[in-house]
Amino acid sequence: MEYTRERLGELLVSAGLITAEQLSEVLDLQLKDGGKLGEVLVNQLILTEDDIAQALAKQKDLQHVNLTGYKVDRAAVNLLPERMAMKRLAIPIGFDGDLLILAMADPLDVEAIDDVEMRTGMRVVPVVASRSQVIYAIDKYVTSADAFQDVVETSLDAEVEVSDVVTGDDVPIVRLVNQLLREAVRDGASDIHIEPDGKKVRVRYRVDGVLHEVMTLPGASRAGVTSRLKIMAEMDIAERRRPQDGRIAVKVDDRPVDIRVASLPTPHGEALVLRILNSGLSFKELADVGLGAEEYKSVMELLGRPYGALLIAGPTGSGKSTTMYGALQQLNTLERKIITIEDPVEYQMAGVTQMAVHNRIGLSFAAGLRTILRSDPDIVMVGEIRDPETAETSVRAALTGHLVLSSIHTNDAPSALNRLTDMGVPPYITSSGLLGVMSQRLVRVLCPHCKQEVKLSGPQMVAAGFTATEAKKVTLYAPVGCDLCSISGFKGRTGVFEVMPMNEDLTRAFLNQAPADVLREIAVNAGMKTLRRDALDKVAAGITSLDEVNRVAV
């Protein structure tokens, strides 16, 4: 039996969220314009959806849940079809013994509870969530579950060849692929891995640098999923023996998303890796990437030079591009001409001329950089130094009056000097043109809502890198997991850095072909904080955990 609108109003009045006069005014407005009472209250900015949800939960002695971080049980989700979930604004999210936990925007809707119990054959325990969160969860879990079930049923039909049907919005494969892309973007994934393994296809998302399995598809669906993605990426679906690259441009929640697709031939069929570039998102300011106060000051001093090269070192996925964009944002003024050559253009910056590498037509980093230097730039960003020509051209550009930013793949800052030498750049050119090198990694940030204090012995703390004095004072924390961090114990990532400005001692040692460990010792004596030391400082500050630091090999 449905509750009346006045009943909801009475609950909100008794909860002290609105006055009787406000209720009367809103009811008059509702009679005039129509709609549900809760929607009118939200539209008039009197209450938020979460205010209403929490009031209903409190008045009816029900649990209130935050579905954006809740660990939803997909086995429960599969019990309710999408059409019914949307009609009732309810979604099963888990089990409590023999009971089904049902998240509802309207826990007073007795008919909805009866319908779900009849459909599932289980007794329902309602919990309360805001209307928008329920809709979000239905789209994320129920829609993908329905698409998955359709694919399974299609794959089991011996009469149908799934790879032949990969177009049209209502086709199961198309619906599933679209949902996979939407869900990955909404979850903040940086990569999607689709990996055939004999009789199944494993789908994993990389979130905050860690891979999580999200779905296992039947092996018969492999050809259809692969073909659909290759069509979207404008790749050759007939070529299955050679690796291919492509790109997909889509919109998710009205945000443009660029996806790089790479195919890899394996004994079980093609594996696909999709790199998600959320070009519609804003990029971080340099002050927000995780630099400590001293490191930030050193970087700003280097960026304040009129010419020279600053290199950002680190492995793939260590946040180098984010740092370079932050630096460009700091330098982007009307008085400066900034030109970039990137692969691809990850973020579009107003006031910056950006160019993408296109190897098929001969536009490489080196070729693009030569063109840029003829275009009167003040500041040049080269996405990555990959080859000897790009390396030498970049450093020589720094000697001819340009400020150059670029990235290079080395494990630490001192190793970048020797890497340039290995690429064929003469040491006297490197030492003359290089302002400095900063190296970085990304570590996951502990969820502030559930992190838990842990104890280590003094010797263990010292073995980890803390001093004996620090070992007595530092408080360590470990991840636990809660609804707000999707049970991972972490929420977001931050950088750990070492910043190595060039000085006379470093230059002299480098010209004398000193190895990286000698260069590191000189830099530390000059005040450089190493990656490990910066990481330990963030552990001591409760930002990350010691295990996380060890995981990323800092």
Side-chain angles (χ1 to χ4, degrees):
M1 185 170 61
E2 290 190 359
Y3 68 94
T4 63
R5 293 185 179 104
E6 290 80 8
R7 177 72 181 280
L8 173 60
E10 291 167 4
L11 287 176
L12 296 175
V13 170
S14 65
L17 293 176
I18 60 174
T19 65
E21 290 76 15
Q22 285 178 313
L23 174 60
S24 179
E25 292 173 2
V26 171
L27 287 174
D28 289 341
L29 188 61
Q30 182 190 21
L31 288 173
K32 178 182 175 182
D33 298 333
K36 293 185 176 181
L37 180 62
E39 294 174 358
V40 177
L41 287 165
V42 172
N43 292 338
Q44 293 298 310
L45 304 180
I46 297 173
L47 294 175
T48 66
E49 289 183 349
D50 211 48
D51 289 334
I52 296 172
Q54 291 194 44
L56 285 169
K58 184 176 181 180
Q59 290 293 321
K60 292 301 177 182
D61 197 24
L62 299 174
Q63 181 185 356
H64 175 262
V65 296
N66 183 342
L67 291 178
T68 57
Y70 194 91
K71 188 69 172 180
V72 173
D73 189 330
R74 288 183 179 269
V77 170
N78 293 338
L79 296 176
L80 204 64
E82 180 183 5
R83 183 177 300 176
M84 185 174 180
M86 285 302 298
K87 178 183 177 182
R88 295 301 188 181
L89 283 184
I91 175 174
I93 58 173
F95 302 97
D96 183 4
D98 296 333
L99 304 176
L100 179 66
I101 302 173
L102 184 70
M104 306 179 68
D106 176 7
L108 304 177
D109 189 350
V110 179
E111 285 188 4
I113 294 174
D114 290 342
D115 283 353
V116 174
E117 288 184 338
M118 186 176 297
R119 171 83 187 192
T120 62
M122 299 183 68
R123 286 185 58 200
V124 163
V125 176
V127 296
V128 189
S130 67
R131 184 176 186 274
S132 59
Q133 285 191 7
V134 171
I135 293 173
Y136 164 84
I138 290 172
D139 184 57
K140 178 177 179 179
Y141 298 107
V142 182
T143 303
S144 62
D146 279 10
F148 171 77
Q149 189 59 38
D150 288 345
V151 167
V152 171
E153 292 173 358
T154 303
S155 302
L156 294 177
D157 189 347
E159 300 293 325
V160 178
E161 176 56 44
V162 177
S163 61
D164 293 338
V165 191
V166 291
T167 58
D169 290 341
D170 292 331
V171 174
I173 286 290
V174 174
R175 291 178 58 217
L176 179 66
V177 168
N178 290 345
Q179 185 62 24
L180 285 175
L181 298 181
R182 282 198 301 270
E183 188 174 325
V185 172
R186 289 169 179 170
D187 285 353
S190 61
D191 303 86
I192 305 172
H193 292 251
I194 300 174
E195 305 156 322
D197 184 15
K199 296 182 179 180
K200 62 182 180 180
V201 178
R202 182 170 61 176
V203 180
R204 296 192 288 173
Y205 295 164
R206 187 180 295 279
V207 180
D208 288 339
V210 178
L211 282 169
H212 304 276
E213 184 172 314
V214 296
M215 189 176 295
T216 301
L217 299 170
S221 67
R222 176 194 56 77
V225 171
T226 302
S227 296
R228 174 58 183 169
L229 285 167
K230 290 175 73 175
I231 287 172
M232 294 176 71
E234 298 183 353
M235 297 159 67
D236 184 357
I237 63 172
E239 178 57 70
R240 301 183 180 91
R241 299 168 299 174
R242 293 186 303 172
Q244 294 187 67
D245 295 304
R247 290 181 182 173
I248 300 172
V250 295
K251 276 193 172 184
V252 175
D253 299 331
D254 293 326
R255 297 200 310 263
V257 178
D258 185 34
I259 302 174
R260 288 189 292 174
V261 183
S263 68
L264 304 168
T266 76
H268 300 293
E270 289 178 285
L272 298 176
V273 179
L274 287 68
R275 168 61 59 89
I276 300 173
L277 306 171
N278 237 332
S279 56
L281 295 181
S282 60
F283 37 80
K284 290 185 176 181
E285 300 284 345
L286 188 61
D288 299 328
V289 299
L291 284 163
E294 289 300 317
E295 288 69 40
Y296 179 75
K297 180 181 177 182
S298 295
V299 173
M300 291 303 297
E301 288 176 355
L302 296 177
L303 293 177
R305 306 282 184 87
Y307 57 87
L310 173 61
L311 299 184
I312 318 295
T316 299
S318 60
K320 299 187 297 296
S321 295
T322 299
T323 300
M324 285 197 293
Y325 278 113
L328 286 185
Q329 179 73 355
Q330 196 77 39
L331 297 166
N332 189 11
T333 64
L334 288 174
E335 295 78 24
R336 295 186 175 110
K337 175 69 173 182
I338 302 176
I339 307 179
T340 74
I341 176 74
E342 308 171 53
D343 183 23
V345 175
E346 296 189 26
Y347 300 100
Q348 296 181 12
M349 299 185 67
V352 175
T353 302
Q354 296 173 272
M355 182 166 52
V357 166
H358 201 320
N359 288 313
R360 292 180 182 177
I361 61 172
L363 182 57
S364 62
F365 276 118
L369 181 55
R370 288 195 300 270
T371 301
I372 287 172
L373 295 177
R374 295 193 293 267
S375 303
D376 190 31
D378 296 301
I379 299 168
V380 176
M381 186 186 92
V382 182
E384 183 181 337
I385 291 178
R386 297 176 178 171
D387 56 81
E389 185 179 2
T390 304
E392 184 163 353
T393 306
S394 298
V395 179
R396 286 186 181 277
L399 290 171
T400 55
H402 305 93
L403 181 62
V404 179
L405 300 178
S406 190
S407 69
I408 190 168
H409 285 274
T410 60
N411 289 329
D412 57 17
S415 299
L417 300 179
N418 295 331
R419 175 66 176 144
L420 289 173
T421 302
D422 293 341
M423 284 186 170
V425 182
Y428 69 89
I429 293 179
T430 298
S431 62
S432 300
L434 193 63
L435 296 174
V437 184
M438 59 185 296
S439 180
Q440 68 178 85
R441 297 288 191 281
L442 288 177
V443 294
R444 290 182 293 172
V445 176
L446 286 165
C447 174
H449 299 281
C450 66
K451 66 181 182 181
Q452 180 176 293
E453 185 177 335
V454 293
K455 299 287 186 182
L456 288 182
S457 67
Q460 288 176 312
M461 295 281 282
V462 172
F466 291 104
T467 65
T469 301
E470 288 174 329
K472 298 176 182 178
K473 298 179 179 180
V474 169
T475 300
L476 301 184
Y477 293 89
V480 177
C482 65
D483 290 352
L484 296 177
C485 62
S486 300
I487 320 299
S488 69
F490 296 94
K491 199 169 182 64
R493 289 191 290 179
T494 190
V496 294
F497 299 87
E498 62 182 18
V499 180
M500 186 184 76
M502 294 297 291
N503 58 37
E504 290 185 6
D505 291 338
L506 269 174
T507 299
R508 189 180 304 110
F510 174 59
L511 290 173
N512 289 330
Q513 300 181 344
D517 56 344
V518 173
L519 298 177
R520 183 182 302 106
E521 183 178 353
I522 294 171
V524 169
N525 290 336
M528 182 185 82
K529 183 190 292 186
T530 65
L531 280 169
R532 181 73 181 184
R533 183 64 254 180
D534 189 39
L536 291 177
D537 286 348
K538 287 181 169 64
V539 171
I543 295 172
T544 191
S545 70
L546 190 57
D547 286 343
E548 175 66 8
V549 168
N550 292 331
R551 183 187 69 83
V552 297
V554 175

PDB file of all heavy atoms in Angstrom, residues 56-83:
ATOM      1  N   LEU A  56      13.962   9.421   6.478  1.00  0.00           N
ATOM      2  CA  LEU A  56      13.138   8.219   6.352  1.00  0.00           C
ATOM      3  C   LEU A  56      13.757   7.054   7.113  1.00  0.00           C
ATOM      4  O   LEU A  56      13.065   6.292   7.791  1.00  0.00           O
ATOM      5  CB  LEU A  56      12.969   7.855   4.876  1.00  0.00           C
ATOM      6  CG  LEU A  56      12.009   8.736   4.063  1.00  0.00           C
ATOM      7  CD1 LEU A  56      12.153   8.440   2.576  1.00  0.00           C
ATOM      8  CD2 LEU A  56      10.571   8.497   4.504  1.00  0.00           C
ATOM      9  N   ALA A  57      15.080   6.902   6.990  1.00  0.00           N
ATOM     10  CA  ALA A  57      15.762   5.806   7.677  1.00  0.00           C
ATOM     11  C   ALA A  57      15.612   5.938   9.190  1.00  0.00           C
ATOM     12  O   ALA A  57      15.339   4.949   9.893  1.00  0.00           O
ATOM     13  CB  ALA A  57      17.239   5.798   7.280  1.00  0.00           C
ATOM     14  N   LYS A  58      15.782   7.156   9.686  1.00  0.00           N
ATOM     15  CA  LYS A  58      15.698   7.365  11.134  1.00  0.00           C
ATOM     16  C   LYS A  58      14.283   7.135  11.651  1.00  0.00           C
ATOM     17  O   LYS A  58      14.080   6.473  12.681  1.00  0.00           O
ATOM     18  CB  LYS A  58      16.170   8.779  11.464  1.00  0.00           C
ATOM     19  CG  LYS A  58      16.215   9.074  12.956  1.00  0.00           C
ATOM     20  CD  LYS A  58      16.777  10.460  13.222  1.00  0.00           C
ATOM     21  CE  LYS A  58      16.848  10.742  14.720  1.00  0.00           C
ATOM     22  NZ  LYS A  58      17.408  12.093  14.997  1.00  0.00           N
ATOM     23  N   GLN A  59      13.286   7.674  10.939  1.00  0.00           N
ATOM     24  CA  GLN A  59      11.913   7.559  11.400  1.00  0.00           C
ATOM     25  C   GLN A  59      11.413   6.125  11.382  1.00  0.00           C
ATOM     26  O   GLN A  59      10.599   5.718  12.207  1.00  0.00           O
ATOM     27  CB  GLN A  59      10.998   8.437  10.532  1.00  0.00           C
ATOM     28  CG  GLN A  59      11.196   9.931  10.737  1.00  0.00           C
ATOM     29  CD  GLN A  59      10.764  10.380  12.124  1.00  0.00           C
ATOM     30  OE1 GLN A  59       9.766   9.908  12.660  1.00  0.00           O
ATOM     31  NE2 GLN A  59      11.518  11.294  12.723  1.00  0.00           N
ATOM     32  N   LYS A  60      11.884   5.342  10.424  1.00  0.00           N
ATOM     33  CA  LYS A  60      11.425   3.960  10.293  1.00  0.00           C
ATOM     34  C   LYS A  60      12.419   2.952  10.866  1.00  0.00           C
ATOM     35  O   LYS A  60      12.274   1.736  10.663  1.00  0.00           O
ATOM     36  CB  LYS A  60      11.156   3.643   8.811  1.00  0.00           C
ATOM     37  CG  LYS A  60       9.956   4.416   8.251  1.00  0.00           C
ATOM     38  CD  LYS A  60       8.704   4.084   9.028  1.00  0.00           C
ATOM     39  CE  LYS A  60       7.506   4.862   8.561  1.00  0.00           C
ATOM     40  NZ  LYS A  60       6.297   4.561   9.360  1.00  0.00           N
ATOM     41  N   ASP A  61      13.459   3.482  11.536  1.00  0.00           N
ATOM     42  CA  ASP A  61      14.467   2.629  12.173  1.00  0.00           C
ATOM     43  C   ASP A  61      15.096   1.671  11.157  1.00  0.00           C
ATOM     44  O   ASP A  61      15.238   0.470  11.394  1.00  0.00           O
ATOM     45  CB  ASP A  61      13.847   1.835  13.332  1.00  0.00           C
ATOM     46  CG  ASP A  61      14.922   1.262  14.261  1.00  0.00           C
ATOM     47  OD1 ASP A  61      16.035   1.829  14.275  1.00  0.00           O
ATOM     48  OD2 ASP A  61      14.648   0.251  14.926  1.00  0.00           O
ATOM     49  N   LEU A  62      15.469   2.226  10.014  1.00  0.00           N
ATOM     50  CA  LEU A  62      16.115   1.451   8.957  1.00  0.00           C
ATOM     51  C   LEU A  62      17.543   1.951   8.769  1.00  0.00           C
ATOM     52  O   LEU A  62      17.883   3.069   9.148  1.00  0.00           O
ATOM     53  CB  LEU A  62      15.345   1.592   7.634  1.00  0.00           C
ATOM     54  CG  LEU A  62      13.896   1.103   7.618  1.00  0.00           C
ATOM     55  CD1 LEU A  62      13.241   1.440   6.288  1.00  0.00           C
ATOM     56  CD2 LEU A  62      13.823  -0.399   7.877  1.00  0.00           C
ATOM     57  N   GLN A  63      18.356   1.106   8.141  1.00  0.00           N
ATOM     58  CA  GLN A  63      19.738   1.494   7.876  1.00  0.00           C
ATOM     59  C   GLN A  63      19.794   2.425   6.662  1.00  0.00           C
ATOM     60  O   GLN A  63      19.102   2.214   5.672  1.00  0.00           O
ATOM     61  CB  GLN A  63      20.597   0.256   7.609  1.00  0.00           C
ATOM     62  CG  GLN A  63      22.068   0.577   7.352  1.00  0.00           C
ATOM     63  CD  GLN A  63      22.867  -0.669   6.972  1.00  0.00           C
ATOM     64  OE1 GLN A  63      22.331  -1.781   6.970  1.00  0.00           O
ATOM     65  NE2 GLN A  63      24.125  -0.480   6.634  1.00  0.00           N
ATOM     66  N   HIS A  64      20.649   3.452   6.758  1.00  0.00           N
ATOM     67  CA  HIS A  64      20.896   4.336   5.612  1.00  0.00           C
ATOM     68  C   HIS A  64      22.232   3.936   4.988  1.00  0.00           C
ATOM     69  O   HIS A  64      23.228   3.752   5.698  1.00  0.00           O
ATOM     70  CB  HIS A  64      20.941   5.799   6.066  1.00  0.00           C
ATOM     71  CG  HIS A  64      21.312   6.756   4.968  1.00  0.00           C
ATOM     72  ND1 HIS A  64      22.594   7.242   4.805  1.00  0.00           N
ATOM     73  CD2 HIS A  64      20.575   7.292   3.971  1.00  0.00           C
ATOM     74  CE1 HIS A  64      22.620   8.038   3.767  1.00  0.00           C
ATOM     75  NE2 HIS A  64      21.408   8.098   3.238  1.00  0.00           N
ATOM     76  N   VAL A  65      22.269   3.783   3.661  1.00  0.00           N
ATOM     77  CA  VAL A  65      23.496   3.350   2.990  1.00  0.00           C
ATOM     78  C   VAL A  65      23.913   4.361   1.932  1.00  0.00           C
ATOM     79  O   VAL A  65      23.075   5.047   1.351  1.00  0.00           O
ATOM     80  CB  VAL A  65      23.338   1.952   2.332  1.00  0.00           C
ATOM     81  CG1 VAL A  65      23.101   0.885   3.360  1.00  0.00           C
ATOM     82  CG2 VAL A  65      22.229   1.961   1.297  1.00  0.00           C
ATOM     83  N   ASN A  66      25.217   4.436   1.714  1.00  0.00           N
ATOM     84  CA  ASN A  66      25.791   5.265   0.653  1.00  0.00           C
ATOM     85  C   ASN A  66      26.205   4.331  -0.476  1.00  0.00           C
ATOM     86  O   ASN A  66      27.219   3.642  -0.395  1.00  0.00           O
ATOM     87  CB  ASN A  66      26.996   6.042   1.186  1.00  0.00           C
ATOM     88  CG  ASN A  66      27.588   6.977   0.157  1.00  0.00           C
ATOM     89  OD1 ASN A  66      27.346   6.837  -1.034  1.00  0.00           O
ATOM     90  ND2 ASN A  66      28.359   7.950   0.620  1.00  0.00           N
ATOM     91  N   LEU A  67      25.425   4.288  -1.545  1.00  0.00           N
ATOM     92  CA  LEU A  67      25.651   3.303  -2.602  1.00  0.00           C
ATOM     93  C   LEU A  67      26.856   3.622  -3.474  1.00  0.00           C
ATOM     94  O   LEU A  67      27.339   2.744  -4.185  1.00  0.00           O
ATOM     95  CB  LEU A  67      24.406   3.186  -3.488  1.00  0.00           C
ATOM     96  CG  LEU A  67      23.187   2.540  -2.824  1.00  0.00           C
ATOM     97  CD1 LEU A  67      22.004   2.520  -3.786  1.00  0.00           C
ATOM     98  CD2 LEU A  67      23.506   1.123  -2.358  1.00  0.00           C
ATOM     99  N   THR A  68      27.354   4.868  -3.437  1.00  0.00           N
ATOM    100  CA  THR A  68      28.512   5.186  -4.268  1.00  0.00           C
ATOM    101  C   THR A  68      29.766   4.466  -3.780  1.00  0.00           C
ATOM    102  O   THR A  68      30.715   4.296  -4.535  1.00  0.00           O
ATOM    103  CB  THR A  68      28.768   6.701  -4.292  1.00  0.00           C
ATOM    104  OG1 THR A  68      28.946   7.168  -2.951  1.00  0.00           O
ATOM    105  CG2 THR A  68      27.614   7.436  -4.944  1.00  0.00           C
ATOM    106  N   GLY A  69      29.784   4.045  -2.525  1.00  0.00           N
ATOM    107  CA  GLY A  69      30.952   3.331  -2.023  1.00  0.00           C
ATOM    108  C   GLY A  69      30.641   1.953  -1.493  1.00  0.00           C
ATOM    109  O   GLY A  69      31.522   1.262  -0.994  1.00  0.00           O
ATOM    110  N   TYR A  70      29.385   1.525  -1.594  1.00  0.00           N
ATOM    111  CA  TYR A  70      28.958   0.254  -1.018  1.00  0.00           C
ATOM    112  C   TYR A  70      29.459  -0.916  -1.872  1.00  0.00           C
ATOM    113  O   TYR A  70      29.444  -0.861  -3.104  1.00  0.00           O
ATOM    114  CB  TYR A  70      27.430   0.224  -0.936  1.00  0.00           C
ATOM    115  CG  TYR A  70      26.868  -0.885  -0.056  1.00  0.00           C
ATOM    116  CD1 TYR A  70      26.632  -0.665   1.291  1.00  0.00           C
ATOM    117  CD2 TYR A  70      26.570  -2.137  -0.584  1.00  0.00           C
ATOM    118  CE1 TYR A  70      26.117  -1.670   2.098  1.00  0.00           C
ATOM    119  CE2 TYR A  70      26.053  -3.148   0.209  1.00  0.00           C
ATOM    120  CZ  TYR A  70      25.824  -2.902   1.546  1.00  0.00           C
ATOM    121  OH  TYR A  70      25.319  -3.898   2.337  1.00  0.00           O
ATOM    122  N   LYS A  71      29.897  -1.978  -1.209  1.00  0.00           N
ATOM    123  CA  LYS A  71      30.350  -3.183  -1.912  1.00  0.00           C
ATOM    124  C   LYS A  71      29.127  -4.022  -2.255  1.00  0.00           C
ATOM    125  O   LYS A  71      28.660  -4.846  -1.468  1.00  0.00           O
ATOM    126  CB  LYS A  71      31.316  -3.976  -1.028  1.00  0.00           C
ATOM    127  CG  LYS A  71      31.997  -5.141  -1.742  1.00  0.00           C
ATOM    128  CD  LYS A  71      32.980  -4.651  -2.781  1.00  0.00           C
ATOM    129  CE  LYS A  71      33.792  -5.814  -3.352  1.00  0.00           C
ATOM    130  NZ  LYS A  71      34.761  -5.369  -4.360  1.00  0.00           N
ATOM    131  N   VAL A  72      28.593  -3.792  -3.448  1.00  0.00           N
ATOM    132  CA  VAL A  72      27.359  -4.448  -3.874  1.00  0.00           C
ATOM    133  C   VAL A  72      27.643  -5.888  -4.284  1.00  0.00           C
ATOM    134  O   VAL A  72      28.618  -6.174  -4.989  1.00  0.00           O
ATOM    135  CB  VAL A  72      26.718  -3.672  -5.041  1.00  0.00           C
ATOM    136  CG1 VAL A  72      25.530  -4.430  -5.619  1.00  0.00           C
ATOM    137  CG2 VAL A  72      26.282  -2.297  -4.567  1.00  0.00           C
ATOM    138  N   ASP A  73      26.804  -6.812  -3.826  1.00  0.00           N
ATOM    139  CA  ASP A  73      26.919  -8.225  -4.181  1.00  0.00           C
ATOM    140  C   ASP A  73      26.199  -8.453  -5.512  1.00  0.00           C
ATOM    141  O   ASP A  73      24.975  -8.328  -5.605  1.00  0.00           O
ATOM    142  CB  ASP A  73      26.272  -9.091  -3.081  1.00  0.00           C
ATOM    143  CG  ASP A  73      26.553 -10.572  -3.274  1.00  0.00           C
ATOM    144  OD1 ASP A  73      26.704 -11.001  -4.435  1.00  0.00           O
ATOM    145  OD2 ASP A  73      26.595 -11.303  -2.265  1.00  0.00           O
ATOM    146  N   ARG A  74      26.969  -8.766  -6.545  1.00  0.00           N
ATOM    147  CA  ARG A  74      26.371  -8.920  -7.876  1.00  0.00           C
ATOM    148  C   ARG A  74      25.420 -10.114  -7.947  1.00  0.00           C
ATOM    149  O   ARG A  74      24.522 -10.150  -8.789  1.00  0.00           O
ATOM    150  CB  ARG A  74      27.464  -9.046  -8.942  1.00  0.00           C
ATOM    151  CG  ARG A  74      28.192  -7.729  -9.192  1.00  0.00           C
ATOM    152  CD  ARG A  74      29.221  -7.865 -10.302  1.00  0.00           C
ATOM    153  NE  ARG A  74      29.909  -6.609 -10.557  1.00  0.00           N
ATOM    154  CZ  ARG A  74      29.525  -5.703 -11.441  1.00  0.00           C
ATOM    155  NH1 ARG A  74      28.428  -5.909 -12.149  1.00  0.00           N
ATOM    156  NH2 ARG A  74      30.210  -4.594 -11.618  1.00  0.00           N
ATOM    157  N   ALA A  75      25.605 -11.102  -7.072  1.00  0.00           N
ATOM    158  CA  ALA A  75      24.668 -12.232  -7.052  1.00  0.00           C
ATOM    159  C   ALA A  75      23.281 -11.754  -6.631  1.00  0.00           C
ATOM    160  O   ALA A  75      22.258 -12.249  -7.114  1.00  0.00           O
ATOM    161  CB  ALA A  75      25.176 -13.314  -6.107  1.00  0.00           C
ATOM    162  N   ALA A  76      23.224 -10.791  -5.724  1.00  0.00           N
ATOM    163  CA  ALA A  76      21.946 -10.211  -5.319  1.00  0.00           C
ATOM    164  C   ALA A  76      21.354  -9.364  -6.436  1.00  0.00           C
ATOM    165  O   ALA A  76      20.151  -9.428  -6.722  1.00  0.00           O
ATOM    166  CB  ALA A  76      22.121  -9.381  -4.051  1.00  0.00           C
ATOM    167  N   VAL A  77      22.201  -8.578  -7.085  1.00  0.00           N
ATOM    168  CA  VAL A  77      21.743  -7.718  -8.182  1.00  0.00           C
ATOM    169  C   VAL A  77      21.057  -8.529  -9.272  1.00  0.00           C
ATOM    170  O   VAL A  77      20.030  -8.120  -9.830  1.00  0.00           O
ATOM    171  CB  VAL A  77      22.938  -6.939  -8.768  1.00  0.00           C
ATOM    172  CG1 VAL A  77      22.539  -6.232 -10.061  1.00  0.00           C
ATOM    173  CG2 VAL A  77      23.464  -5.919  -7.767  1.00  0.00           C
ATOM    174  N   ASN A  78      21.595  -9.701  -9.556  1.00  0.00           N
ATOM    175  CA  ASN A  78      21.064 -10.525 -10.654  1.00  0.00           C
ATOM    176  C   ASN A  78      19.645 -11.020 -10.414  1.00  0.00           C
ATOM    177  O   ASN A  78      18.998 -11.533 -11.330  1.00  0.00           O
ATOM    178  CB  ASN A  78      21.991 -11.726 -10.896  1.00  0.00           C
ATOM    179  CG  ASN A  78      23.350 -11.323 -11.432  1.00  0.00           C
ATOM    180  OD1 ASN A  78      23.503 -10.246 -11.998  1.00  0.00           O
ATOM    181  ND2 ASN A  78      24.335 -12.180 -11.247  1.00  0.00           N
ATOM    182  N   LEU A  79      19.136 -10.869  -9.193  1.00  0.00           N
ATOM    183  CA  LEU A  79      17.796 -11.377  -8.878  1.00  0.00           C
ATOM    184  C   LEU A  79      16.679 -10.472  -9.383  1.00  0.00           C
ATOM    185  O   LEU A  79      15.518 -10.892  -9.415  1.00  0.00           O
ATOM    186  CB  LEU A  79      17.655 -11.558  -7.356  1.00  0.00           C
ATOM    187  CG  LEU A  79      18.572 -12.605  -6.709  1.00  0.00           C
ATOM    188  CD1 LEU A  79      18.381 -12.598  -5.196  1.00  0.00           C
ATOM    189  CD2 LEU A  79      18.290 -13.997  -7.281  1.00  0.00           C
ATOM    190  N   LEU A  80      17.018  -9.240  -9.779  1.00  0.00           N
ATOM    191  CA  LEU A  80      15.972  -8.294 -10.171  1.00  0.00           C
ATOM    192  C   LEU A  80      16.273  -7.725 -11.560  1.00  0.00           C
ATOM    193  O   LEU A  80      17.371  -7.208 -11.786  1.00  0.00           O
ATOM    194  CB  LEU A  80      15.898  -7.140  -9.148  1.00  0.00           C
ATOM    195  CG  LEU A  80      14.570  -6.401  -9.045  1.00  0.00           C
ATOM    196  CD1 LEU A  80      13.472  -7.344  -8.547  1.00  0.00           C
ATOM    197  CD2 LEU A  80      14.706  -5.223  -8.083  1.00  0.00           C
ATOM    198  N   PRO A  81      15.320  -7.795 -12.504  1.00  0.00           N
ATOM    199  CA  PRO A  81      15.552  -7.247 -13.843  1.00  0.00           C
ATOM    200  C   PRO A  81      15.569  -5.720 -13.823  1.00  0.00           C
ATOM    201  O   PRO A  81      15.004  -5.075 -12.943  1.00  0.00           O
ATOM    202  CB  PRO A  81      14.376  -7.781 -14.663  1.00  0.00           C
ATOM    203  CG  PRO A  81      13.295  -8.046 -13.666  1.00  0.00           C
ATOM    204  CD  PRO A  81      13.998  -8.457 -12.406  1.00  0.00           C
ATOM    205  N   GLU A  82      16.209  -5.147 -14.832  1.00  0.00           N
ATOM    206  CA  GLU A  82      16.383  -3.699 -14.903  1.00  0.00           C
ATOM    207  C   GLU A  82      15.048  -2.952 -14.916  1.00  0.00           C
ATOM    208  O   GLU A  82      14.885  -1.942 -14.226  1.00  0.00           O
ATOM    209  CB  GLU A  82      17.189  -3.334 -16.152  1.00  0.00           C
ATOM    210  CG  GLU A  82      17.419  -1.849 -16.321  1.00  0.00           C
ATOM    211  CD  GLU A  82      18.154  -1.531 -17.607  1.00  0.00           C
ATOM    212  OE1 GLU A  82      18.389  -2.455 -18.406  1.00  0.00           O
ATOM    213  OE2 GLU A  82      18.480  -0.349 -17.818  1.00  0.00           O
ATOM    214  N   ARG A  83      14.085  -3.440 -15.691  1.00  0.00           N
ATOM    215  CA  ARG A  83      12.810  -2.733 -15.812  1.00  0.00           C
ATOM    216  C   ARG A  83      12.103  -2.628 -14.460  1.00  0.00           C
ATOM    217  O   ARG A  83      11.574  -1.573 -14.106  1.00  0.00           O
ATOM    218  CB  ARG A  83      11.911  -3.453 -16.824  1.00  0.00           C
ATOM    219  CG  ARG A  83      10.587  -2.746 -17.084  1.00  0.00           C
ATOM    220  CD  ARG A  83       9.798  -3.468 -18.149  1.00  0.00           C
ATOM    221  NE  ARG A  83      10.539  -3.534 -19.411  1.00  0.00           N
ATOM    222  CZ  ARG A  83      10.096  -4.187 -20.487  1.00  0.00           C
ATOM    223  NH1 ARG A  83       8.942  -4.839 -20.461  1.00  0.00           N
ATOM    224  NH2 ARG A  83      10.797  -4.186 -21.601  1.00  0.00           N
TER     225      ARG A  83
END
